[in-house]
Structures are given as structure tokens and as C-alpha cells.
Amino acid sequence: TKASSSLNPDKPKDKAKLAALEKQANVTRQAVQRVLLLELAHEIEAFGSPPWNDSDNEKMAELQVKFFFEEGAISQKNANFGAPPLGTADEGGEGGANEAWWIQRGGTSGGKDSKTYIFKPQEMEATQFVGIPQNGGSVREVLAKSTSDSLAKYGFDLGVCPTHLVDIDTAKLGGLSDSPKGARTLGAMQELADNDGPVSDFVKDVTPEEQEAFKKSVDKKNFGDIAVFDMMFLNMDRHAGNLLVQKGPDGKNTLVPIAHGIGLMEPEGLSLTRQRMTGSQNVMLDGVFPSDELLDAETIANLKSIDAKAMADELLQKQLDLEKRHPETKGKIDHDEFDRMAKRVEFMQVAADTLNVKELFKANAVYGDEINAAKPTELPRLIAKIKTKFDAVEKASLQFEDIKEGSGGRN
């Protein structure tokens, strides 16, 4: 860089020197990359053969994903040393609200053997909410996958994309010259699931017949499993772009949830943001899916089988292990939130026979303080109280609509 700064690219001799310097720099970068890959390979080899404990499993997964990034972020053919940025949604890109980069590994883009990863740097998160510490989204993305894995033990099939926290070479991030933390950048690396587009592609700007056909193509248990996960996780960002669709050969469609950085809202923030969970922004409630019905019977049975405390303790331990590996994540998730998660599960285990999906979402968002404070023996009375209030609001709403239409009221 120092040598090239004194050269003028408009002069033929200097232009040739610049080209030679760039070639040397590319060779050096490739050599450095080879060394780094060998170091990572030795770290992976040092783990030995499985089985490993949960903590070592997570460490191994992080090392492998880090290896994939370092291997895939460089194109050997043209020495293009950088993962291209997606750009934020505000910039017209695909990266959502926060900065993100992607890499392709193996095969051609979209090919059978290819894998696509998205990297979201922790220090470049733009979204800010009361109840979520600054730059707290990456750890939530990782914890969402851990929660999905824990629920799978009880029969839930969610398909949350594999996500790990890794620190990578800042120089590999195209369009980013520096990081607040220096040469390394910590963030969430997520492997994207194969999909046929977001739900919005299937329900927006389509005919009523096409929308109805899509509704019937989605399995009720698939929908219910994701609904339970969203309520456990207090997910505040389930809009139609954050729910992917996988088309099945039998005409059935499978929903795949993505983007969980705005979740596990601490109590002081829940009251300010709950409309994101109870309003039309939540695609689970906007008429596309059967939210005015009880959860699927199998989902309810699986929900009731959960050992809420054991699962919460397991997830807390995974968070503690993550903080040990990456001290920068300390304080990003309130550890008391795991106890509150267990409380939400215990509430839903009792309420699922009485409240429909829409009412369950609203109860978790509006009555969070009472749910957290209730003892198990007090839950039936709390649920009856909530149901009475919801029914009264529904009746008043129907009467108001009748008055507007001049129908003379309805009993």
C-alpha cells in the first residue's frame, strides 16, 4: 500500500508497477489464507473423533463454519479477496435491517452441492429496541437455533437454519475497510435453507384462489410448531419476508422460519413493542394461517410433554458456554429471560386447550408480567380471566361493526 500510493496509474510505467504489486499482494493473501486454513484444520483435528459433549460440539461447529468462510470468501481464479455485501433493505439490498455479507461454498450458485451462508457482524447491527441490548441480535440468532434443537427433542419440527457465532478476518468482508474491534469481526454465520421464496411471494398480489390454495397447502402442525416457538422466543419480527416456503413434491408446502435477532425481549421493552407480535405485521395472525383456531392436536400434545425448567436450564448453559468462548457477548441476553421462557411454556401448556393461536400470542405479549408472577396452581384462573377479557373485547368489536353497518346490533 505504501509503495503503490506514490505511483500514478495514469502513467504507463507506474500502471505496470501497480499491476505487478497487486499480483504480489494477491499471492501473499493466498499464502496467508493457506496458513490460516491449515491452522484451523489442525484445531479441528485436535478435537479427535466424536462423540463430544455439548460444549465441544458447539466449538467444533464454530470452527467448521469459520473454515468454510475463510475457504469460500476467496476466489482463487481471480484473487477476489472479499465476501460481497448484501446491503441493507434501506439501501435496496437483501440484508434486512442490518449489514450482512454472503458467501457461496461448493458448486455453482444455487447448484445441488452449493451452500449459501450469510454473515451478520455483531458490531454493525442497526436495529435498536428497548429490551434488547445494543448489538444483541447475533447472539439471539444463535440461541434461536439452540431453542429449535431443544424443541426437536419434544417432537417439534422447525427447521431453523444452522447458525453459529464466529470471528473472521475483517479484510474478507468486501466493502468494509475496518471494524470497530480491529482486524477480526465477530458475528452470526447462518447457513440458508433451500427455499422457493418467502410467504409474501405466495400471498401478496395473487388471486384469491391462489391464496386459498396456498393456505390449504401448509400443514397445520408446521404452522403451530412455529407459532409455539415464536411465543417462547418472544419473536417480534415474523413478517411475511421472514417465513420461507419449501415446495414439496406432493403439493404440500413447508414453512421455514428465519431472522430471530429481535426476540427474547426484556420486560421493559415488551410493553413498547408488543404490537409487532399481536398486530398485522405478524404474518402468523394476518389471515393467511388458521390463527383463529386452537393449535394442532399433535402440537398441543408435544407442548405438554416439554420439561420447561430442564429446557430453560439447558439453553442457559449453552448461553454461558457461548459467553465463555466469546466474552463480547456477555450482557447481550439477560439470564433471567430463560426463567421467563419457562414460565411462558408452562402457561401455554395449560392455555392451549382454551385459547386459540391468536389469543395465545396476545396473552404472551400483553399479560407477560402476570404470567411471570403466576404459580402453576394459579394458571387456570389467570387463563379464565384472560379468556373472559378477550371474549368481551370480541363481542364489543362485533357490536361496533353491526352499528357501523346499521344492522341493529347482534346478540
Side-chain angles (χ1 to χ4, degrees):
T1 303
K2 199 170 183 180
S4 62
S5 63
S6 62
L7 299 175
N8 186 347
D10 294 329
K11 294 181 179 180
K13 287 185 178 180
D14 285 358
K15 186 176 181 180
K17 290 179 181 179
L18 284 169
L21 286 171
E22 181 61 26
K23 187 175 181 179
Q24 290 176 5
N26 285 338
V27 171
T28 302
R29 291 189 192 108
Q30 287 183 338
V32 171
Q33 185 215 22
R34 296 291 178 269
V35 172
L36 179 58
L37 289 175
L38 282 172
E39 289 177 346
L40 288 170
H42 288 154
E43 283 189 69
I44 292 171
E45 186 178 4
F47 270 82
S49 301
W52 304 300
N53 59 35
D54 286 347
S55 179
D56 283 346
N57 270 323
E58 288 298 322
K59 290 178 186 176
M60 173 59 82
E62 288 181 4
L63 282 172
Q64 288 176 332
V65 170
K66 186 175 178 179
F67 185 95
F68 295 162
F69 184 92
E70 298 290 355
E71 179 189 46
I74 294 181
S75 172
Q76 296 179 26
K77 184 176 180 181
N78 59 12
N80 176 21
F81 294 87
L86 285 168
T88 67
D90 289 342
E91 299 167 339
E94 304 173 68
N98 299 315
E99 294 282 357
W101 281 257
W102 71 270
I103 62 168
Q104 196 79 33
R105 182 177 190 268
T108 58
S109 179
K112 183 179 178 182
D113 298 324
S114 70
K115 290 185 178 181
T116 301
Y117 293 84
I118 282 186
F119 178 73
K120 301 178 181 179
Q122 175 174 281
E123 293 296 326
M124 295 189 68
E125 293 175 8
T127 50
Q128 296 186 38
F129 290 90
V130 176
I132 296 181
Q134 179 66 35
N135 302 324
S138 294
V139 290
R140 283 164 171 77
E141 295 278 9
V142 175
L143 189 60
K145 174 57 177 171
S146 298
T147 304
S148 173
D149 292 343
S150 292
L151 283 170
K153 300 173 186 177
Y154 298 97
F156 287 78
D157 186 7
L158 292 164
V160 173
C161 300
T163 308
H164 301 282
L165 207 64
V166 296
D167 70 301
I168 55 91
D169 183 355
T170 302
K172 301 294 195 305
L173 299 177
L176 180 64
S177 59
D178 196 10
S179 164
K181 294 297 181 182
R184 309 295 298 179
T185 298
L186 183 70
M189 182 79 82
Q190 188 170 79
E191 179 185 341
L192 291 187
D194 292 334
N195 68 89
D196 296 285
V199 164
S200 54
D201 288 353
F202 293 81
V203 300
K204 308 294 184 185
D205 300 323
V206 299
T207 66
E209 292 76 18
E210 288 173 326
Q211 188 175 99
E212 188 61 30
F214 174 73
K215 290 180 184 180
K216 291 179 179 179
S217 73
V218 176
D219 179 64
K220 188 177 179 182
K221 179 182 181 295
N222 178 210
F223 161 72
D225 285 0
I226 295 172
V228 169
F229 166 81
D230 277 353
M231 287 182 276
M232 280 180 54
F233 207 74
L234 284 184
N235 181 24
M236 299 289 169
D237 204 24
R238 184 63 72 218
H239 57 73
N242 283 342
L243 197 58
L244 304 180
V245 177
Q246 292 176 335
K247 291 182 178 179
D250 56 356
K252 293 292 184 182
N253 290 318
T254 300
L255 304 175
V256 180
I258 62 169
H260 303 106
I262 308 175
L264 294 182
M265 189 74 59
E266 294 171 12
E268 63 269 28
L270 179 57
S271 62
L272 299 175
T273 57
R274 61 191 179 201
Q275 185 61 28
R276 296 175 64 95
M277 192 181 204
T278 63
S280 59
Q281 175 175 325
N282 187 350
V283 69
M284 309 293 280
L285 308 182
D286 74 351
V288 176
F289 303 111
S291 61
D292 57 351
E293 300 174 14
L294 295 179
L295 289 165
D296 176 75
E298 186 177 351
T299 297
I300 292 177
N302 291 339
L303 172 62
K304 292 185 176 183
S305 73
I306 296 174
D307 185 331
K309 186 177 186 310
M311 184 172 68
D313 288 346
E314 175 189 353
L315 291 172
L316 172 58
Q317 187 57 54
K318 288 187 175 183
Q319 178 60 26
L320 292 172
D321 289 342
L322 183 72
E323 292 173 6
K324 186 175 180 180
R325 294 193 302 277
H326 304 285
E328 308 97 313
T329 64
K330 288 183 179 179
K332 301 302 183 185
I333 293 181
D334 180 2
H335 293 170
D336 289 340
E337 185 53 40
F338 295 95
D339 289 333
R340 293 190 285 268
M341 180 189 285
K343 286 282 192 176
R344 290 192 289 275
V345 172
E346 291 169 350
F347 170 80
M348 289 190 287
Q349 287 173 328
V350 181
D353 291 325
T354 303
L355 303 181
N356 63 35
V357 175
K358 186 177 293 185
E359 291 169 336
L360 284 171
F361 268 104
K362 189 172 181 179
N364 276 289
V366 176
Y367 294 92
D369 289 342
E370 293 181 60
I371 291 171
N372 291 332
K375 298 176 182 178
T377 55
E378 297 170 338
L379 287 174
R381 190 193 318 180
L382 174 60
I383 292 163
K385 168 188 158 184
I386 291 173
K387 179 62 175 173
T388 298
K389 288 190 175 182
F390 285 169
D391 287 347
V393 171
E394 178 67 17
K395 183 177 180 181
S397 177
L398 290 173
Q399 289 174 339
F400 178 71
E401 290 299 319
D402 283 343
I403 292 171
K404 278 176 56 178
E405 294 173 10
S407 64
R410 184 183 304 177
N411 293 328

